[in-house]
Amino acid sequence: MFNEFLGLGFALFNFVLLLIMYKVFGKTGLFAWVAFATILANIQVTKTIEIIGLTATLGNSLYASTFLATDILNEKYGRKEAKKAVWLGFSSLLIMVVTMQFGLQFIPAESDFAHEALETVFGLVPQIAIASMIAYLLAQHIDVIIFSALRKVFPKDSQFWIRNNGSTLLSQLIDTLIFTSIAFFGVFPFDVWIQIFISTYVLKFIVSVLDTPFGYIAKKIRPLDEQEAVR
């Protein structure tokens, strides 16, 4: 049960950090969160773990937190700002992939100890990143569109949980199917791939439900930069 408890604690820790970033830096903090969480999630995803009795990839809670960030932006600042964050996350991931591939081409010194480790991690990243970028763009834009559509039907503050979960659960299903198919289908045996697909979506489902209270907290937060602007 160690991975299960650690995973729960890590997910909650991510949401707390996200709220702190929002409180201190406002919507700029949410943009920054989307950028580095997208990068870190695509590094963590190279590690597989056993959790809830299934084989899963790491990085699910970090990645899922980017959907909470775009939902908060959509809720408080509008669809345009949410889309801007989506493109920022995509651009950050693309830049990371390109720059690290250049970095791997340099011949290491005899005293170097990091090249093989970097090659192991970032050698896998291009295939994973391509899968992630395709899935990310489609899923995040679908999330923004569905959230905006649900907001017209369920506009009340008390109905934020419908907008948040409704948009995230569907977009995450599409994201998981596209990502696992491109990144891992044929890499792992089919039975392992199907476990990764199911466990990845289940974990994202759990994280999506867990992030709802933090979304309500974010709605009540008044960032420091916005407080200073009023003075």
Side-chain angles (χ1 to χ4, degrees):
M1 292 295 291
F2 177 79
N3 279 351
E4 286 77 5
F5 285 118
L6 183 62
L8 176 62
F10 184 54
L12 297 176
F13 181 63
N14 287 332
F15 297 143
V16 170
L17 288 180
L18 187 155
L19 292 182
I20 292 173
M21 288 287 290
Y22 179 47
K23 176 64 178 179
V24 176
F25 301 107
K27 66 179 179 181
T28 302
L30 294 179
F31 288 137
W33 182 272
V34 170
F36 66 70
T38 302
I39 291 173
L40 291 176
N42 277 275
I43 295 173
Q44 288 189 348
V45 80
T46 59
K47 179 175 181 176
T48 55
I49 60 173
E50 296 292 327
I51 192 167
I52 59 174
L54 296 170
T55 301
T57 55
L58 199 61
N60 289 312
S61 59
L62 255 179
Y63 185 68
S65 71
T66 65
F67 285 79
L68 174 60
T70 54
D71 282 353
I72 294 171
L73 284 166
N74 202 342
E75 177 76 9
K76 300 191 72 173
Y77 302 101
R79 182 171 169 176
K80 183 178 179 180
E81 296 299 304
K83 282 190 172 183
K84 186 188 297 184
V86 171
W87 283 109
L88 177 61
F90 175 83
S91 301
S92 300
L93 181 58
L94 179 61
I95 291 169
M96 183 271 285
V97 171
V98 173
T99 56
M100 287 309 301
Q101 294 314 300
F102 269 106
L104 291 178
Q105 302 312 307
F106 285 89
I107 299 172
E110 291 185 6
S111 59
D112 176 79
F113 61 88
H115 179 75
E116 288 187 6
L118 290 173
E119 198 167 41
T120 299
V121 174
F122 291 101
L124 293 173
V125 163
Q127 179 180 349
I128 291 173
I130 290 170
S132 181
M133 285 187 285
I134 294 172
Y136 175 86
L137 274 184
L138 288 174
Q140 283 280 18
H141 278 98
I142 288 171
D143 181 79
V144 172
I145 291 169
I146 294 175
F147 188 96
S148 299
L150 288 174
R151 191 172 188 177
K152 295 177 182 178
V153 182
F154 304 100
K156 297 179 181 178
D157 282 350
S158 60
Q159 295 172 324
F160 172 77
W161 69 274
I162 300 176
R163 302 191 290 273
N164 177 53
N165 288 297
S167 61
T168 301
L169 294 179
L170 180 57
S171 60
Q172 291 278 27
L173 177 61
I174 295 170
D175 176 272
T176 304
L177 179 60
I178 295 173
F179 174 74
T180 55
S181 296
I182 298 175
F184 299 125
F185 192 78
V187 177
F188 294 105
F190 180 76
D191 60 329
V192 175
W193 175 82
I194 200 71
Q195 282 190 50
I196 291 175
F197 169 72
I198 294 171
S199 61
T200 298
Y201 183 66
V202 168
L203 290 173
K204 288 178 179 178
F205 182 96
I206 294 171
V207 172
S208 176
V209 173
L210 287 175
D211 76 21
T212 304
F214 293 90
Y216 277 101
I217 294 172
K219 283 170 62 63
K220 297 181 180 298
I221 288 178
R222 191 175 179 186
L224 296 178
D225 60 345
E226 293 179 13
Q227 293 179 26
E228 292 173 357
V230 174
R231 293 175 184 174

